[in-house]
Amino acid sequence: MKIYNTLTAKKEEFIPLSQGKVKMYVCGVTVYDYCHIGHARSAVVFDVINRYLRYKGYDVIFVKNFTDLDDKIINKAKQEGVSWDTVARKYTDEYYKDMDVLRVGKPDLEPKATEHIEDMIEIIKVLIDKGYAYELDGSVYFEVGKFLEYGKLSKRNTEELIAGARIEVDERKKNPMDFALWKRSKEGEPAWDSPWGAGRPGWHIECSAMSIKHLGDEIDIHGGGADLIFPHHENEIAQSESFTGKPFAKYWVHNGFITINREKMSKSLGNFFTVKEILDKFDPEVLRLFLLSTHYRSPIEFSDDQLRETEISLDRYYSTILRVNSFLEECKIDRISGKTQNAFETNVSQVKKRFEEAMDDDFNTALALGHIFEFMREINRFIDSKPSGMKVKELLQRSKEVLSEFGGVLNIFVRTPEEWYRSLISVKKIGLSEKDIDEKIKVRQDARKKRQWDVADRIRKELEEKGVILEDKEVRTDWRVRVGV
RNA sequence: GGCGGCGUACCCAAGUGGCUAAGGGAGAGGUCUGCAAAACCUUUAUGCAGCGGUUCGAAUCCGCUCGCCGCCUCCA
């Protein structure tokens, strides 16, 4: 299995520190607002990485933190006139709601910054003792010049950084790039006691403290959005490696951004969509599939049109399954058919290998999905060939199992076609119940038996206008909800 | 200014040295069907931003040019 490592800027063979075990830490969200789809992308990407590692048999410990103490939370609290921890709690709850509907699994541990203040203070103390940090008027700074490898992750040297620095320079700092480990709290801000007086931790130290505490000095994978590479992850490396004297993380994994009109989606530009906004118009599985249909490191251009296309793709999956199910119910067992079956059997046994090859290559979900859709065409082609015989049922059963196995890794394709269409009835605001539709179908079937085509066509058209499409099969009529509109 | 990435069909998107350049959507034609829908089949890039170079061989490596974007400040 290969993983692209930001640290070496190369795809590398994945060899965990301890055989068969993977320790993974991912930077989670700062809980000061609703999740936007960029947060969703990161969450979904690392959820899939976690699932695939487990699928491959690794014993994974996955830690993802909550930043529940930060300037943005404090500002939000001021705006809303509530306490900062009320803000943190509210948006933590909202985060969980969004993750649940997106079927993002829970990490093994979800530590919070506020629960690790003591751990952070301990690390800061050691960094001062070791000469990597200095106190200045109740705050503590990390001295970047003392960590010779500073810039190794983001491929920068300190002179360049200073030259291009846009940050406001505190003249008293030894070096403009030195960053806060501990900040003296101002009046009205949350504060904890420390050897340097009342204060609160800087942003970067929390992840070092939580990663080291829960996973140890050295871990296998450290992940997050590409915008965390600098300064957050660079600073984490500096602090952690100065503290432990060991390499902090072996593989650094970063997901790409979502763009809108080719620009990075961001809160400051105001061009963002929250997860909730999208789910008002689309089924959550559509968003999840959309996020996985591009490689995780590439930018994804977001638009409603793209989601509509994804919706059509997903519908292709469910309508294929619906078709397989119908076929299995009506399937007659008699003679064994020949060539098409052999060809299909080969496909069934090969698709798993293809899926794993794709995923082994730096979690190439886009390619993996390509194989899955190709396989679905094979299934449809097989059914079109009107196969018969004992083996047919078994092959189709196995095909469904293979698809749900892949679905388990990507955590899509987890519902029945019926559940999918039921969801679409409400997402697309069809305004009919399943019962209504079934009744209309029944009336229409009677008309069809009597060859009253005008009556049958009228009912079909009436349903179509509401977004329900009918499909006449040999012995029954199935319905679907129209997608992609 | 420094560093990095991207440019593959009408749209989205895999592919980073070697069989006919995956897959999805859209379009056109066909099979099936009472008619449809779905499905399937055929078709849509002698070419991968442009120009040079390396090589027996390049979308894939190297150089230059053009265009777009990101990071260097909080950010998933």
Side-chain angles (χ1 to χ4, degrees):
Chain A
M1 184 164 67
K2 288 191 168 157
I3 299 185
Y4 181 85
N5 188 352
T6 308
L7 190 60
T8 55
K10 278 195 288 256
K11 247 189 234 176
E12 293 175 20
E13 191 58 38
F14 180 65
I15 304 163
L17 294 164
S18 163
Q19 203 186 351
K21 291 186 176 160
V22 178
K23 296 194 259 188
M24 176 161 79
Y25 184 99
V26 172
C27 291
V29 289
T30 300
V31 279
Y32 75 107
D33 207 343
Y34 295 109
C35 282
H36 64 232
I37 51 179
H39 298 118
R41 182 179 195 188
S42 187
V44 167
V45 162
F46 287 100
D47 183 47
V48 167
I49 289 175
N50 177 37
R51 285 171 196 275
Y52 189 63
L53 289 170
R54 283 168 206 254
Y55 171 90
K56 293 284 279 186
Y58 288 106
D59 185 5
V60 182
I61 310 178
F62 176 26
V63 177
K64 184 162 72 178
N65 72 293
F66 282 106
T67 297
D68 60 344
L69 172 63
D70 160 279
D71 290 348
K72 291 189 291 293
I73 296 174
I74 294 169
N75 290 338
K76 185 88 173 191
K78 273 183 202 155
Q79 276 173 35
E80 297 192 349
V82 294
S83 65
W84 63 272
D85 52 320
T86 305
V87 170
R89 222 172 306 124
K90 175 181 173 187
Y91 291 108
T92 303
D93 289 348
E94 294 297 340
Y95 176 82
Y96 277 127
K97 285 182 200 161
D98 288 341
M99 292 307 112
D100 280 353
V101 291
L102 288 173
R103 297 182 199 276
V104 172
K106 276 208 178 200
D108 300 297
L109 288 169
E110 298 177 287
K112 293 176 178 168
T114 51
E115 293 164 354
H116 296 78
I117 306 287
E118 285 304 316
D119 303 293
M120 296 186 229
I121 289 173
E122 284 310 307
I123 292 174
I124 297 169
K125 273 194 205 160
V126 172
L127 288 173
I128 293 174
D129 287 348
K130 284 189 163 184
Y132 287 107
Y134 56 92
E135 191 199 337
L136 194 72
D137 196 20
S139 293
V140 179
Y141 293 93
F142 184 89
E143 191 171 348
V144 166
K146 288 277 171 68
F147 185 70
L148 298 177
E149 291 178 293
Y150 193 81
K152 67 178 173 180
L153 183 70
S154 53
K155 317 281 179 267
R156 281 160 232 262
N157 59 54
T158 40
E159 293 92 71
E160 277 169 5
L161 281 168
I162 294 161
R166 281 186 269 162
I167 47 167
E168 237 178 85
V169 178
D170 180 341
E171 292 300 332
R172 296 172 304 169
K173 284 201 285 188
K174 293 188 185 177
N175 180 310
M177 292 315 298
D178 291 353
F179 57 90
L181 295 168
W182 188 261
K183 297 174 178 175
R184 190 169 87 166
S185 288
K186 292 181 197 127
E187 205 41 50
E189 285 180 353
W192 282 262
D193 286 332
S194 81
W196 318 283
R200 58 195 173 99
W203 173 36
H204 317 296
I205 193 67
E206 62 174 73
C207 289
S208 294
M210 290 185 273
S211 180
I212 290 167
K213 177 166 186 179
H214 296 290
L215 295 171
D217 291 352
E218 297 178 72
I219 64 170
D220 296 291
I221 297 173
H222 193 118
D227 43 6
L228 297 180
I229 295 170
F230 189 90
H232 185 56
H233 287 162
E234 196 70 71
N235 291 353
E236 275 188 54
I237 289 175
Q239 297 159 350
S240 306
E241 300 192 352
S242 299
F243 173 68
T244 64
K246 296 172 199 162
F248 183 43
K250 195 169 177 189
Y251 302 91
W252 287 84
V253 178
H254 295 99
N255 65 273
F257 303 124
I258 290 182
T259 61
I260 289 178
N261 294 325
R262 292 182 158 195
E263 272 186 320
K264 179 187 168 184
M265 196 179 80
S266 75
K267 302 223 43 162
S268 45
L269 287 168
N271 60 344
F272 65 93
F273 292 97
T274 63
V275 170
K276 291 178 206 305
E277 284 172 315
I278 302 309
L279 298 188
D280 189 44
K281 288 186 278 185
F282 293 95
D283 183 278
E285 193 174 354
V286 173
L287 179 55
R288 187 167 172 114
L289 178 60
F290 170 72
L291 294 172
L292 294 174
S293 53
T294 302
H295 186 90
Y296 77 89
R297 283 190 282 118
S298 304
I300 305 185
E301 172 69 14
F302 181 85
S303 69
D304 274 15
D305 280 349
Q306 292 305 318
L307 280 183
R308 274 190 278 272
E309 277 198 15
T310 307
E311 188 177 66
I312 291 168
S313 297
L314 187 56
D315 190 62
R316 187 172 160 79
Y317 168 78
Y318 283 113
S319 55
T320 300
I321 294 300
L322 186 67
R323 199 165 173 232
V324 171
N325 289 345
S326 304
F327 184 84
L328 285 175
E329 277 172 37
E330 294 156 21
C331 179
K332 298 169 207 85
I333 297 169
D334 47 22
R335 63 186 186 286
I336 308 283
S337 64
K339 275 181 191 164
T340 51
Q341 187 171 107
N342 292 336
F344 183 62
E345 204 170 345
T346 311
N347 278 309
V348 176
S349 52
Q350 276 182 350
V351 68
K352 193 168 165 171
K353 201 180 118 219
R354 294 206 179 110
F355 175 81
E356 288 176 9
E357 271 171 12
M359 292 299 285
D360 278 345
D361 186 12
D362 196 27
F363 309 107
N364 195 337
T365 53
L367 181 59
L369 285 165
H371 294 320
I372 289 172
F373 280 100
E374 197 169 10
F375 182 56
M376 292 198 291
R377 192 176 65 215
E378 298 298 341
I379 292 174
N380 276 312
R381 193 186 302 185
F382 182 58
I383 293 178
D384 275 358
S385 75
K386 297 194 167 44
S388 57
M390 302 266 274
K391 198 94 189 262
V392 169
K393 232 171 180 161
E394 188 196 314
L395 277 174
L396 286 172
Q397 228 17 290
R398 211 161 89 213
S399 303
K400 281 199 345 181
E401 280 160 23
V402 165
L403 284 172
S404 29
E405 205 176 348
F406 302 157
V409 173
L410 304 175
N411 215 20
I412 51 177
F413 306 158
V414 291
R415 289 175 288 177
T416 63
E418 290 75 20
E419 286 167 332
W420 162 245
Y421 292 118
R422 215 172 287 148
S423 160
L424 283 180
I425 284 180
S426 79
V427 171
K428 299 287 175 192
K429 301 167 178 82
I430 297 298
L432 287 170
S433 69
E434 276 181 278
K435 216 173 158 190
D436 297 336
I437 297 168
D438 286 340
E439 273 163 22
K440 302 242 184 223
I441 288 175
K442 204 173 280 173
V443 174
R444 181 166 171 275
Q445 286 295 60
D446 289 341
R448 290 184 71 219
K449 265 178 211 150
K450 294 178 204 152
R451 305 194 143 255
Q452 296 172 342
W453 306 124
D454 53 331
V455 176
D457 290 352
R458 201 184 314 125
I459 293 170
R460 184 169 65 195
K461 198 168 180 204
E462 188 191 316
L463 285 171
E464 194 184 327
E465 277 162 6
K466 293 189 170 172
V468 176
I469 311 280
L470 298 187
E471 290 184 19
D472 294 329
K473 305 278 174 70
E474 263 183 71
V475 294
R476 65 148 180 275
T477 295
D478 287 329
W479 61 269
R480 301 184 303 116
V481 175
R482 190 199 287 126
V483 293
V485 287

